[in-house]
Amino acid sequence: MPEFAFIGRSNVGKSSLINLLSERKELAKVSVTPGKTKLINFFIMNGNWSLVDLPGYGYANVGKLQRNQFNEAVGDYLEQRKNIFCTFVLIDSRLPPQAIDLEFLRWLASCGVKFALIFTKMDKLSVSQAEANIAVFRKQMAETCGPVPATFNSSAKTKRGRTEILNFIEEQLVKNNRA
Ligand code: GDP
């Protein structure tokens, strides 16, 4: 089954986004204790693709992130799994670029995984603030990690981004004759 994976710093809003995409309240558990989930969860969506919920990274050793400093199973999964169609990397739109996100993206780009960005929590700040943060992130990413891929803006609160992300997934399935 084609797989679409979701990953980001702990507390970025990944569980909330997964619940939004699936229209299920508790498919992914919204964290009470950030950083606790260590499992890779697979959810079959629509009968024709799998949503893969990867454990979040974060907290430790900013600036020295190596492959083995985020969950080792995640590293293996992303490096070796043949049926990943796209990995969505979630970025908190409220924050200036975080070293750990850029480090992770640099690693991801270096291992040739196809990925896209989702800026989360867009309801929490003004349009101009969000645009400014995203512009700085895109610039820093282009400088350190190579070309900026497809980008989505989302909010679990207003449901923004749901249609766009699901349409993008559908397009990837159609392109590969897997719809
Ligand atoms: P995870 O650790 O990445 O899975 O993040 P969660 O989905 O558990 O969310 C972390 C916190 O951010 C929770 O308190 C959520 O209610 C909140 N949150 C997540 N997404 C949004 C969003 O789009 N808008 C707002 N305002 N809060 C959000």
Side-chain angles (χ1 to χ4, degrees):
M1 188 117 25
E3 289 174 357
F4 293 84
F6 291 76
I7 191 165
R9 240 163 24 91
S10 302
N11 216 35
V12 71
K14 176 169 58 75
S15 306
S16 304
L17 180 75
I18 289 171
N19 293 336
L20 174 71
L21 294 177
S22 65
E23 283 193 315
R24 300 257 301 270
K25 273 211 180 90
E26 287 196 19
L27 191 63
K29 288 247 185 310
V30 173
S31 27
V32 181
T33 314
K36 241 189 139 184
T37 315
K38 298 275 187 275
L39 297 173
I40 298 179
N41 287 308
F42 295 78
F43 304 112
I44 295 176
M45 306 288 281
N46 225 6
N48 64 346
W49 61 279
S50 289
L51 187 159
V52 184
D53 180 6
L54 296 172
Y57 52 82
Y59 300 121
N61 297 319
V62 174
K64 294 196 292 176
L65 186 71
Q66 303 288 324
R67 182 198 170 294
N68 63 1
Q69 286 177 279
F70 44 89
N71 187 301
E72 198 175 336
V74 171
D76 288 347
Y77 170 83
L78 290 170
E79 279 182 343
Q80 293 168 26
R81 193 81 162 176
K82 299 276 189 284
N83 50 328
I84 306 175
F85 276 37
C86 185
T87 298
F88 293 98
V89 181
L90 278 56
I91 308 291
D92 192 328
S93 66
R94 298 171 306 172
L95 306 176
Q98 302 289 296
I100 197 165
D101 288 329
L102 291 167
E103 291 281 336
F104 179 74
L105 286 165
R106 194 168 22 214
W107 173 78
L108 201 57
S110 77
C111 64
V113 176
K114 188 171 186 254
F115 63 97
L117 300 181
I118 302 178
F119 290 94
T120 62
K121 307 192 186 182
M122 290 290 290
D123 61 281
K124 283 212 164 183
L125 64 182
S126 70
V127 174
S128 59
Q129 282 173 317
E131 277 172 1
N133 281 350
I134 290 170
V136 176
F137 192 92
R138 292 177 69 95
K139 184 166 177 284
Q140 289 202 12
M141 186 179 168
E143 284 165 7
T144 56
C145 315
V148 178
T151 301
F152 301 92
N153 298 335
S154 77
S155 162
K157 200 168 168 197
T158 65
K159 305 195 175 181
R160 179 171 177 187
R162 180 176 190 274
T163 307
E164 290 81 359
I165 295 165
L166 290 177
N167 284 348
F168 175 82
I169 290 172
E170 181 67 21
E171 275 166 31
Q172 307 305 308
L173 294 172
V174 168
K175 250 194 229 162
N176 290 279
N177 296 319
R178 302 295 293 267

